[in-house]
């Protein structure tokens, strides 16, 4: 009898033990999120140093680490660029990226469709129409923008969901077609509202429509950050239900998921996320497609890990994309939506062909 | 214990089930047989609270079914449905752990406990899937996948199991394997099972009671040898059948006699 045989594990048990280690657990989720969050902080700091106006690295780093309490040798102009222009814009990018990625991941699980994405389903456009109506007719009230954006997103969501339901259920193709119809219909609504504006505002408007992080107010920034964090927490709290919904509504119901309640929660929270993003920065496309897909590819498709990880990765993705957008042809700028679409559209084609 | 008393169910404008009564008792397998559109699957969905009956009542463990929350029902009744198309990759082990959802302490973010993992391992052994547990569901054969669906239902530890054509699309060996597993659970752990099937011979072999349905109504209910008679089967399926005793088990064996063959 050899010594090894006493510690040998039967093959069957080894397989079970292996899968148990690969499975998403609370510990693994915390670890992954901590690492990603650290990466996000690094990205935020590094990206705030880059831009058309070069900032001295050491002094900026020092200023950032003391939260601007000491100037660390930055001139007052440099200080203003860092804390009043760049940092708010980067934080907004993080909020928008996180919001859209989480909304995308949730829509994909709920609708059982890897191609579902707020922008492609017309939900971003719904929010855009809401924002524009608020701007044109309720310009005096700052809060009307996010409120109308949320309403627009929610209405677009419900319409797309209804349109996609065929007699045989919703196929992925049907959902995308429904999204195309809603998107084009809302695009003409956008054109219509644009004609009601004065000519001087139209250019900044077209820019905003393509996704632009430069023109927001402090209030909207805080709102976007707050909604991004709260929305991620609420949706992550429904992640186990989403895991079962991913396998089919009937299966989820049989196993104990209150399907209609979860669906309502996802629709409302995702619409809030998309609404607050669009109200502050227009329609940044494909974030909800690219980020959850890459997260699933590397971490598996358990939503308890996908949802929080997508939030942080989405933030990183948009902050980096926006830095590219504002530096690549500096001192002029591209809308960040152009960069995300440039990455996202080919991935969409790849995903569509792989099915 | 699950019992339907005189239930009628509307499916669209049509009355799909009309005044049917059924009682599922521990240790017993009950089979519903009938032609397409007889209301078999509707009956099954109604028993699982997926559709509400327009009249009659359903009693689960001496309380009306409607008084339970969805999670509470899922702890007591498990369903093996015809499989849905999978669009996201999921490993067999994770798939089976899905059966533990109703037992989680919090609704959504709850993580599986050591006991959940233990239960999942046990049912994977029981369904002989332990060596496949790290595979993706999409990599399994049809028979293995259906075993995984059954394993997930068993992982709920529900006392009542409802199976909707669990053996459709399976070959002979896999059909028998699925029903043998169900039979064993009923015999050893006092589970009650209801099987909707088109396979009359499997029903005869594995069930204690057979409910024969046509046009939403009960035609006959009783032991296989009482219900599976040439007259009743001809009335329900409009086809002449030959019934003799199975040479090995002695249960009724049904052979359709098609007009064209004579």
């Amino acid at each position: 009898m050899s010594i090894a045989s006493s510690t040998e594990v039967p093959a069957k048990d080894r397989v079970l033990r292996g899968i148990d280690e690969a499975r998403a657990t609370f510990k693994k989720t915390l670890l992954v999120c901590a690492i990603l969050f650290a990466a996000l902080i690094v990205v935020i700091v590094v990206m705030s140093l880059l831009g058309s106006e070069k900032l001295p690295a050491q002094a900026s780093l020092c200023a950032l680490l003391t939260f601007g309490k000491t100037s660390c040798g930055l001139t007052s102009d440099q200080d203003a660029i860092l804390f009043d222009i760049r940092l708010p814009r980067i934080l907004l990018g993080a909020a928008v990226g996180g919001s859209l990625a989480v909304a995308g991941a949730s829509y994909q699980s709920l609708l059982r469709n890897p191609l579902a994405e707020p922008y492609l389903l017309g939900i971003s456009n719904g929010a855009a129409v809401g924002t524009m109506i608020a701007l044109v007719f309720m310009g005096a009230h700052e809060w009307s923008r996010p409120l109308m954006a949320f309403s627009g997103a929610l209405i677009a969501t419900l319409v797309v969901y209804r349109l996609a339901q065929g007699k045989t259920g919703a196929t992925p193709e049907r959902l995308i077609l429904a999204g195309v119809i809603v998107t084009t219909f809302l695009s003409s609504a956008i054109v219509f509202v644009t004609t009601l504006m004065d000519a001087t505002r139209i250019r900044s408007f077209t820019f905003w429509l393509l996704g632009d992080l430069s023109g927001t107010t402090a209030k909207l920034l805080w709102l976007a950050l707050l909604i991004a964090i709260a929305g991620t927490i609420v949706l992550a709290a429904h992640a186990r239900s989403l895991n079962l919904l991913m396998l089919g509504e009937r299966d989820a119901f049989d196993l104990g998921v209150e399907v209609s309640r979860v669906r309502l929660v996802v629709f409302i929270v995702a619409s809030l996320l998309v609404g607050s993003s669009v109200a502050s920065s227009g329609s940044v496309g494909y974030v909800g497609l690219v980020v959850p897909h890459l997260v699933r590819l590397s971490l598996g498709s358990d939503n308890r890990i996908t949802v929080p990880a997508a939030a942080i990765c989405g933030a990183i993705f948009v902050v980096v994309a926006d830095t590219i957008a504002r530096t690549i042809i500096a001192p002029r700028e591209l809308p960040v939506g152009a960069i995300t679409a440039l990455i996202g559209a080919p991935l969409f084609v790849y995903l569509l062909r792989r099915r | 214990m699950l019992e339907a008393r005189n239930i009628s169910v509307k499916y669209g404008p049509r009355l799909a089930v009309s005044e049917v009564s059924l009682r599922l008792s521990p240790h017993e397998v009950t089979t519903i047989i009938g032609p397409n559109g007889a209301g078999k699957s509707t009956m099954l969905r109604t028993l699982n609270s997926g559709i509400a009956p327009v009249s009659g009542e359903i009693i689960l463990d001496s309380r009306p079914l409607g008084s339970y929350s969805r999670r509470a029902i899922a702890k007591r009744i498990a369903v093996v449905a015809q499989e849905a198309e999978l669009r996201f990759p999921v490993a067999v082990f994770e798939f089976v752990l899905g059966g533990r959802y109703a037992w989680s302490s919090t609704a959504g973010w709850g993580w599986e406990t050591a006991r959940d993992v233990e239960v999942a391992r046990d049912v994977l052994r029981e369904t002989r899937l332990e060596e496949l547990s790290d595979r993706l569901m999409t990599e399994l054969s049809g028979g293995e996948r259906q075993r995984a669906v059954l394993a997930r239902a068993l992982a709920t530890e529900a006392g009542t199991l409802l199976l909707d054509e669990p053996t459709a699309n399976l070959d002979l060996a896999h059909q028998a394997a699925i029903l043998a597993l169900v039979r064993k659970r009923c015999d050893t752990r006092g589970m009650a099972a209801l099987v909707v099937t088109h396979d009359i011979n499997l029903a005869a072999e594995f069930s204690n009671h057979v409910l024969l349905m046509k046009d939403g109504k009960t035609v006959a209910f009783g032991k296989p040898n009482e219900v599976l008679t040439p007259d009743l089967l001809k009335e329900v399926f409009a086809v002449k059948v030959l019934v003799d005793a199975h040479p090995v088990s002695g249960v009724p064996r049904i052979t359709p006699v098609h007009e064209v063959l004579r």
Side-chain angles (χ1 to χ4, degrees):
Chain A
M1 202 180 100
S2 72
I3 302 162
S5 70
S6 61
T7 54
E8 231 167 56
V9 185
K12 287 173 181 176
D13 282 358
R14 221 170 27 234
V15 171
L16 280 179
R17 197 169 294 174
I19 184 67
D20 203 25
E21 279 158 13
R23 198 162 57 82
T25 56
F26 184 56
K27 240 165 94 183
K28 187 178 162 190
T29 305
L30 275 189
L31 184 70
V32 166
C33 289
I35 293 170
L36 287 174
F37 193 75
L40 173 65
I41 300 295
V42 171
V43 165
I44 287 176
V45 170
V46 172
M47 296 303 147
S48 66
L49 303 183
L50 302 176
S52 54
E53 175 72 37
K54 287 269 179 305
L55 295 179
Q58 217 173 349
S60 309
L61 216 57
C62 159
L64 280 172
L65 291 177
T66 55
F67 298 101
K69 286 194 185 79
T70 49
S71 70
C72 298
L74 289 179
T75 66
S76 63
D77 276 359
Q78 286 171 331
D79 195 87
I81 287 174
L82 186 60
F83 286 101
D84 299 339
I85 300 175
R86 247 173 234 174
L87 206 56
R89 180 169 175 161
I90 285 170
L91 288 179
L92 180 66
V96 167
S99 296
L100 294 175
V102 167
S106 313
Y107 283 130
Q108 284 151 24
S109 300
L110 181 74
L111 302 170
R112 302 181 60 218
N113 190 334
L115 301 178
E117 203 266 351
Y119 182 72
L120 294 170
L121 293 182
I123 296 161
S124 295
N125 257 358
V129 171
T131 312
M132 293 178 81
I133 291 174
L135 269 174
V136 174
F137 300 106
M138 306 171 224
H141 311 281
E142 198 179 355
W143 296 115
S144 67
R145 272 164 66 185
L147 207 64
M148 288 295 289
F150 163 64
S151 314
L154 191 60
I155 292 169
T157 306
L158 297 178
V159 170
V160 169
Y161 180 72
R162 277 267 165 229
L163 282 179
Q165 296 294 319
K167 276 184 182 136
T168 53
T171 62
E173 289 79 8
R174 210 185 148 97
L175 186 75
I176 296 302
L177 280 179
V180 168
I181 293 164
V182 171
T183 305
T184 45
F185 177 81
L186 291 172
S187 294
S188 39
I190 289 171
V191 171
F192 182 76
V193 183
T194 312
T195 57
L196 299 177
M197 297 184 165
D198 50 86
T200 50
R201 286 168 76 186
I202 285 178
R203 196 188 123 73
S204 70
F205 234 82
T206 1
F207 220 72
W208 170 80
L209 268 180
L210 289 167
D212 176 24
L213 295 166
S214 65
T216 191
T217 63
K219 275 185 196 160
L220 282 182
L221 167 63
W222 288 115
L223 182 74
L225 277 172
L226 190 76
I227 288 183
I229 293 167
T232 303
I233 291 172
V234 173
L235 289 175
H238 285 81
R240 199 168 172 192
S241 309
L242 284 174
N243 283 350
L244 295 183
L245 279 163
M246 226 157 66
L247 303 174
E249 286 194 1
R250 184 76 70 81
D251 283 31
F253 176 86
D254 290 343
L255 292 167
V257 180
E258 292 164 57
V259 174
S260 38
R261 190 187 62 83
V262 175
R263 187 164 49 210
L264 193 68
V265 168
V266 171
F267 279 168
I268 289 176
V269 174
S271 298
L272 267 172
L273 289 168
V274 175
S276 83
S277 304
V278 172
S280 54
S281 66
S283 315
V284 183
Y286 291 98
V287 179
L289 183 80
V290 175
V291 175
H293 178 73
L294 294 180
V295 169
R296 270 194 215 99
L297 211 61
S298 43
L299 296 170
S301 48
D302 191 322
N303 280 299
R304 288 171 294 188
I305 196 162
T306 310
V307 168
I312 306 173
C313 293
I316 294 175
F317 179 66
V318 171
V319 169
V320 172
D322 186 51
T323 308
I324 297 173
R326 65 187 165 82
T327 51
I328 196 164
I329 51 164
R332 292 170 68 194
E333 286 182 3
L334 282 168
V336 61
I339 304 290
T340 56
L342 217 57
I343 301 166
L347 182 78
F348 179 82
V349 173
Y350 165 75
L351 286 177
L352 195 65
R353 285 181 64 97
R354 208 187 48 162
R355 286 193 65 245
Chain B
M1 197 179 57
L2 185 63
E3 185 183 355
R5 294 178 186 159
N6 262 326
I7 58 166
S8 298
V9 187
K10 271 201 166 152
Y11 198 78
R14 191 170 66 88
L15 205 59
V17 171
S18 169
E19 298 190 346
V20 175
S21 294
L22 185 65
R23 187 193 177 109
L24 304 178
S25 308
H27 298 288
E28 290 191 352
V29 177
T30 307
T31 308
I32 306 184
I33 282 176
N36 291 331
K40 306 184 296 289
S41 295
T42 307
M43 185 74 194
L44 198 128
R45 281 194 65 197
T46 310
L47 287 172
N48 187 36
S49 85
I51 315 172
V54 288
S55 67
E57 55 177 355
I58 301 171
I59 306 293
L60 173 62
D61 294 338
S62 62
R63 263 170 56 196
L65 188 65
S67 69
Y68 289 88
S69 71
R70 183 85 277 285
R71 284 157 80 80
I73 294 175
K75 280 189 195 177
R76 292 168 173 83
I77 303 175
V79 180
V80 175
Q82 281 155 310
E83 61 172 84
E85 181 201 349
L86 288 169
R87 295 186 190 138
F88 290 91
V90 53
V92 174
F93 194 72
E94 290 175 84
F95 183 85
V96 171
L97 271 177
R100 302 300 297 166
Y101 174 86
W103 295 90
S104 64
S105 47
T106 52
W109 215 49
W111 295 86
E112 289 84 2
T113 60
R115 160 129 177 81
D116 291 335
V117 173
E118 202 49 52
V119 171
R121 284 185 182 179
D122 286 346
V123 294
L124 281 167
R125 265 185 218 114
E126 193 178 340
T127 50
R128 292 193 203 94
L129 286 168
E130 67 264 67
E131 281 172 82
L132 301 174
S133 51
D134 59 343
R135 297 275 189 86
L136 294 179
M137 282 295 285
T138 42
E139 293 169 353
L140 303 190
S141 73
E144 290 163 346
R145 214 159 35 233
Q146 194 64 350
R147 284 219 303 281
V149 174
L150 177 64
R152 186 177 68 176
L154 296 179
T156 63
E157 296 185 301
T160 303
L161 186 62
L162 309 177
L163 302 102
D164 193 359
E165 297 189 36
T167 57
N169 314 320
L170 295 187
D171 63 34
L172 277 177
H174 284 108
Q175 285 184 352
I178 293 273
L179 287 176
L181 278 166
V182 172
R183 183 72 258 180
K184 199 175 145 205
R185 270 264 173 163
C186 292
D187 291 342
T188 58
R189 300 213 199 171
M191 196 175 71
L194 177 68
V195 185
V196 165
T197 182
H198 279 295
D199 195 320
I200 306 177
N201 285 310
L202 276 177
E205 198 177 335
F206 286 98
S207 41
N208 302 87
H209 291 103
V210 176
L211 171 68
L212 199 57
M213 286 181 77
K214 190 188 182 182
D215 298 332
K217 295 186 186 72
T218 301
V219 176
F221 178 76
K223 295 199 161 56
N225 57 359
E226 297 163 6
V227 175
L228 303 176
T229 63
D231 289 348
L232 284 173
L233 289 174
K234 189 171 181 214
E235 183 192 331
V236 169
F237 289 100
V239 62
K240 200 171 172 188
V241 298
L242 189 75
V243 180
D244 57 0
H246 190 285
V248 179
S249 60
V251 301
R253 181 174 65 174
I254 292 89
T255 318
V257 186
H258 301 290
E259 296 291 333
V260 283
L261 296 178
R262 285 196 301 161

